[in-house]
Amino acid sequence: MFLDDFHTRTDGWIRISAEQASRFAKRVAGDFNPIHNVDARRFCVPGDLLFALVLSRYGLSQNMSFRFLSMVGDGVPLCFHEDDDGLIRVCDEQGKGYLEVTRSGETTHDEAVVEAFTRCYVAFSGKNFPHYLKPLMEEQGVMFNPRRPLVIYDSMGFSLERLNGRLPGLELLDSSLSVAGKRGDALLEFRITAGGEAVGSGSKKLVVSGLCDYDAAAMDEVVAEFYRLKAADERQA
């Protein structure tokens, strides 16, 4: 499975090192959020990697909802388990919860189908910034602190009319940003397609913290740094 390089399984526990997490964010998701950098002060494992690991282990269901509870740090031992109530939980040794997943409908464990959907969603999700968030923040006249940008996953979910092996695609349908003081909640709604035909829909919610007044020059510098890091990573790949 393509996720083997991005986690380690030992004695039933899954550990994700900062290096593995950062490599997944950059190489698979195209996500250069500084919170996923190995040396980040508030480093956290990408939520999309946890999402991918859940699908790899439990399969792709027609209806799935993911609620992210806490940020996972470097090398935290994680237990993925499904409880009697049908809820999939990701917890650490102390029982602290990081992710809860509900699902219903048919489920496929076909590795090719699961991987194709995972890669498709993660590539879409990795475009949070600057593709989706920058226009929203500019429209609302706010932005994150350019010195300490903090954008974190809150939740996501999707519904599929059917499960098949056709190559999926995701496209943004609508987006919005609601602002309350220094916090912003961004909602991204998307359509899921297969062979050019709509087969489902979904949405994801992000939390943008430490909002301040929009500064076009400062935002331009943040965007330029994003593309500089992206180009540097592509040269190393």
Side-chain angles (χ1 to χ4, degrees):
M1 188 67 177
F2 80 102
L3 296 176
D4 289 348
D5 291 339
F6 306 111
H7 72 287
T8 303
R9 189 186 300 272
T10 307
D11 297 329
W13 295 92
I14 287 179
R15 290 176 171 82
I16 303 167
S17 70
E19 191 278 330
Q20 288 172 319
S22 183
R23 187 152 38 88
F24 176 90
K26 295 174 173 61
R27 301 287 170 84
V28 180
D31 180 357
F32 292 85
N33 186 335
I35 203 169
H36 303 317
N37 291 343
V38 172
D39 58 354
R41 184 175 64 86
R42 296 189 64 184
F43 166 84
C44 79
V45 170
D48 285 332
L49 179 49
L50 300 179
F51 162 86
L53 288 168
V54 167
L55 262 60
S56 174
R57 181 162 185 168
Y58 297 99
L60 171 65
S61 296
Q62 284 183 282
N63 307 293
M64 301 188 78
S65 295
F66 296 72
R67 188 162 71 97
F68 297 87
L69 307 174
S70 300
M71 297 191 295
V72 179
D74 177 19
V76 174
L78 299 173
C79 175
F80 287 61
H81 59 95
E82 184 171 13
D83 292 332
D84 293 339
D85 59 7
L87 197 67
I88 297 170
R89 291 182 170 89
V90 179
C91 304
D92 62 17
E93 293 174 300
Q94 285 73 46
K96 179 180 178 180
Y98 294 92
L99 174 63
E100 292 182 348
V101 184
T102 59
R103 58 179 179 160
S104 62
E106 297 181 8
T107 298
T108 179
H109 293 273
D110 185 309
E111 288 189 8
V113 173
V114 173
E115 179 175 339
F117 185 86
T118 300
R119 286 186 179 275
C120 177
Y121 174 74
V122 168
F124 166 85
S125 184
K127 294 180 179 178
N128 290 335
F129 181 85
H131 308 77
Y132 307 137
L133 287 180
K134 179 179 179 292
L136 291 175
M137 291 189 291
E138 186 173 12
E139 180 182 285
Q140 294 289 336
V142 296
M143 65 181 288
F144 45 58
N145 184 332
R147 293 180 298 279
R148 293 187 301 277
L150 184 59
V151 179
I152 59 175
Y153 231 140
D154 179 86
S155 56
M156 70 84 65
F158 59 84
S159 295
L160 294 165
E161 294 176 8
R162 58 186 178 276
L163 302 170
N164 57 43
R166 301 175 73 183
L167 191 64
L170 264 76
E171 54 190 51
L172 184 68
L173 281 181
D174 197 10
S175 60
S176 61
L177 176 66
S178 59
V179 177
K182 291 186 177 297
R183 171 189 165 121
D185 292 336
L187 180 66
L188 307 178
E189 299 174 75
F190 54 88
R191 176 191 291 121
I192 305 168
T193 62
E197 176 187 0
V199 296
S201 61
S203 65
K204 67 177 298 187
K205 181 181 175 183
L206 301 166
V207 176
V208 187
S209 299
L211 292 178
C212 57
D213 291 339
Y214 191 86
D215 183 324
M219 179 58 75
D220 287 346
E221 290 181 7
V222 175
V223 173
E225 177 65 5
F226 170 90
Y227 285 110
R228 185 192 70 78
L229 293 172
K230 187 174 187 294
D233 186 73
E234 288 172 347
R235 287 194 297 270
Q236 295 174 6

